[in-house]
């Protein structure tokens, strides 16, 4: 088995492709020969040493991918994918490898028309966006939604999913060079956060009323700013802390400063403001596999209907993993970055 290892915490240079014995599926498990694996910002912060859930290095991270089943363990149910089946997989790390072993419950069959690249680009981003929009916020027609990092993987998914609800108006923060892209994904009002204060701009665009929903992967003081943009009955959904990353290696003083600027939301304040705050961490939903599988199955159905289509920014071989990580942490991507076995 070939896999991309984080050998120690640090910059992209700490990544190394290593050969290890192929894993064998145990009871209830399935082995997949990987054709493409997704790269997410969580894995970038894991490499930097800023992701508390990640295993200690040397380790292999990666939450998702697509490939072909080649072996099953004892006790796998008859309705589980058989050898030769094309599948999407969710993995609690270990996904950046050419062979993965996961519980059968973490597999979803791929439609015949779906490419392995699209399959690997779907699970984490679209599951996260769908969960936030439809299970947590339960958006309805006519609502106004602010999507931060709108040109990224989750941002792209959220904009496309908002299009499936009639009358939803979307605002997306992205650099000016990415505005055409986010418009193509369904964003009504791109906002250049580099040249404008996004709070002031969203207030101007909404006539001072603000928005019904803010999807915020930034963290720190941006959570306070997003909360202030909410209309009565509005909701802020926090689902990341991208602001902790300053590129390359971790800066603990920067992280500490950011943590000190996280707002505190008391039940009394929420009650008096008529607003809500929710948190989403898909990586902490492993005890809710049925929920995740149901959501992912809904996403696959939307794909088959043509309602969503992941945008693959670029595909990197394992040997160029450092460049792939750099693309994501420097914000150069629009849509999904993938890794494929050499």
């Amino acid at each position: 088995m070939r896999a991309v290892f984080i050998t120690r915490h640090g910059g992209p240079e700490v990544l190394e492709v290593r050969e290890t014995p192929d894993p064998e599926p145990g009871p209830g498990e399935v082995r997949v020969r990987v054709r493409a694996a997704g790269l997410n910002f969580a894995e970038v912060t894991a490499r930097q040493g800023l992701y508390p859930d990640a295993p200690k290095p040397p380790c292999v991270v990666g939450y998702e991918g697509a490939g072909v089943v080649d072996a099953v363990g004892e006790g796998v149910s008859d309705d589980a994918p058989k050898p030769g089946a094309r599948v999407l997989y969710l993995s609690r790390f270990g996904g950046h490898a050419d062979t993965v072993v996961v519980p059968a419950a973490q597999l979803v069959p791929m439609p015949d028309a779906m490419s392995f690249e699209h399959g690997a680009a779907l699970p984490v981003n679209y599951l996260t966006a769908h969960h936030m929009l439809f299970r947590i916020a339960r958006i309805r027609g006519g609502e106004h939604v602010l999507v931060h990092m709108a040109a990224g993987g989750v941002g792209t998914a959220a904009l496309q999913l908002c299009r499936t609800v009639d009358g939803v108006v979307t605002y997306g923060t992205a650099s000016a060079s990415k505005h055409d892209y986010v418009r193509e994904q369904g964003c009504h009002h791109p906002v250049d956060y580099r040249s404008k204060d996004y709070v002031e701009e969203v207030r101007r665009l909404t006539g001072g009323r603000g928005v019904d929903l803010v999807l915020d992967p930034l963290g720190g003081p941006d959570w306070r700013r997003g909360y202030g943009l909410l209309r009565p009955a509005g909701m802020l959904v926090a689902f990341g802390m991208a602001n902790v990353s300053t590129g390359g290696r971790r800066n603990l003083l920067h992280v500490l400063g950011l943590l000190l600027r996280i707002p505190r939301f008391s039940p009394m304040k929420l009650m008096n403001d008529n607003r809500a705050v929710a948190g989403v961490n898909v990586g902490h939903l492993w005890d809710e596999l049925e929920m995740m599988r149901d959501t992912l199955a809904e996403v696959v159905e939307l794909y088959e209907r043509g309602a969503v289509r992941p945008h693959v920014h670029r595909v990197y071989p394992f040997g160029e993993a450092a460049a792939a990580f750099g693309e994501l942490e420097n914000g150069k991507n629009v849509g999904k970055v993938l890794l494929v076995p050499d």
Side-chain angles (χ1 to χ4, degrees):
M1 178 184 82
R2 287 170 61 79
V4 179
F5 275 80
I6 297 174
T7 59
R8 63 186 186 282
H9 293 145
E13 72 280 357
V14 306
L15 299 171
E16 182 180 302
V17 180
R18 294 180 177 178
E19 295 269 3
T20 60
D22 283 352
E24 295 295 331
E29 293 181 332
V30 174
R31 187 169 68 190
V32 179
R33 298 296 182 181
V34 178
R35 298 290 195 271
L39 179 61
N40 299 286
F41 203 79
E43 286 99 90
V44 172
T45 55
R47 194 211 69 218
Q48 295 171 340
L50 296 171
Y51 190 50
D53 291 339
K56 294 180 180 179
C59 63
V60 179
V61 293
Y63 275 124
E64 64 187 337
V68 179
V69 173
D70 85 324
V72 298
E74 295 181 1
V76 173
S77 64
D78 291 339
D79 59 352
K82 304 294 189 297
R86 301 165 74 250
V87 294
L88 315 177
Y89 67 82
L90 289 165
S91 56
R92 194 171 190 180
F93 306 114
H96 292 168
D98 65 10
T99 307
V100 300
V101 168
V102 296
Q106 292 170 211
L107 300 177
V108 173
M110 286 177 57
D112 292 339
M114 183 184 287
S115 68
F116 288 115
E117 287 78 15
H118 276 184
L122 272 176
V124 170
N125 291 162
Y126 283 81
L127 191 157
T128 301
H130 193 286
H131 182 81
M132 291 190 295
L133 290 169
F134 300 116
R135 184 175 288 270
I136 302 301
R138 302 183 186 276
I139 62 167
R140 299 177 295 176
E143 293 190 329
H144 292 243
V145 180
L146 171 60
V147 180
H148 282 300
M149 297 177 68
V154 176
T156 295
L159 291 173
Q160 292 181 4
L161 289 166
C162 282
R163 287 190 306 200
T164 67
V165 181
D166 291 340
V168 169
V169 180
T170 51
Y171 308 78
T173 59
S175 57
S177 63
K178 299 177 181 180
H179 282 193
D180 286 344
Y181 170 79
V182 297
R183 285 192 185 96
E184 291 171 2
Q185 309 313 310
C187 184
H188 298 98
H189 302 287
V191 177
D192 181 8
Y193 66 95
R194 291 179 176 174
S195 65
K196 298 178 180 179
D197 183 308
Y198 71 81
V199 171
E200 293 180 2
E201 183 65 4
V202 170
R203 287 202 180 281
R204 183 187 70 80
L205 290 167
T206 60
R209 295 188 65 200
V211 296
D212 301 287
L213 176 63
V214 176
L215 303 182
D216 191 322
L218 303 173
D222 283 291
W223 286 339
R224 186 187 306 279
R225 305 187 78 209
Y227 181 84
L229 274 173
L230 295 177
R231 298 177 176 182
M235 177 182 288
L236 166 70
V237 180
F239 70 102
M241 281 279 287
N243 284 336
V244 302
S245 176
T246 55
R249 294 168 176 80
R250 63 182 176 180
N251 181 331
L252 294 181
L253 285 178
H254 170 75
V255 174
L256 178 60
L258 196 67
L259 292 175
L260 291 173
R261 296 167 69 191
I262 292 176
R264 302 293 184 260
F265 299 106
S266 73
M268 285 295 294
K269 179 173 178 56
L270 295 175
M271 180 175 66
N272 291 334
D273 291 346
N274 281 292
R275 296 171 181 169
V277 176
V280 169
N281 184 338
V282 170
H284 288 183
L285 287 177
W286 293 102
D287 292 332
E288 300 290 344
L289 279 178
E290 185 175 349
M291 179 192 299
M292 289 203 289
R293 272 184 58 87
D294 288 348
T295 300
L296 191 51
E298 290 183 42
V299 168
V300 170
E301 182 180 340
L302 288 169
Y303 179 93
E304 291 187 278
R305 285 165 36 196
V308 299
R309 276 292 183 276
H311 177 84
V312 177
H313 173 75
R314 190 167 173 184
V315 178
Y316 288 88
F318 282 2
E320 298 177 21
F325 273 70
E327 196 95 347
L328 207 61
E329 65 189 296
N330 293 315
K332 295 181 179 179
N333 64 300
V334 288
K336 191 73 172 183
V337 176
L338 299 178
L339 296 170
V340 295
D342 298 284

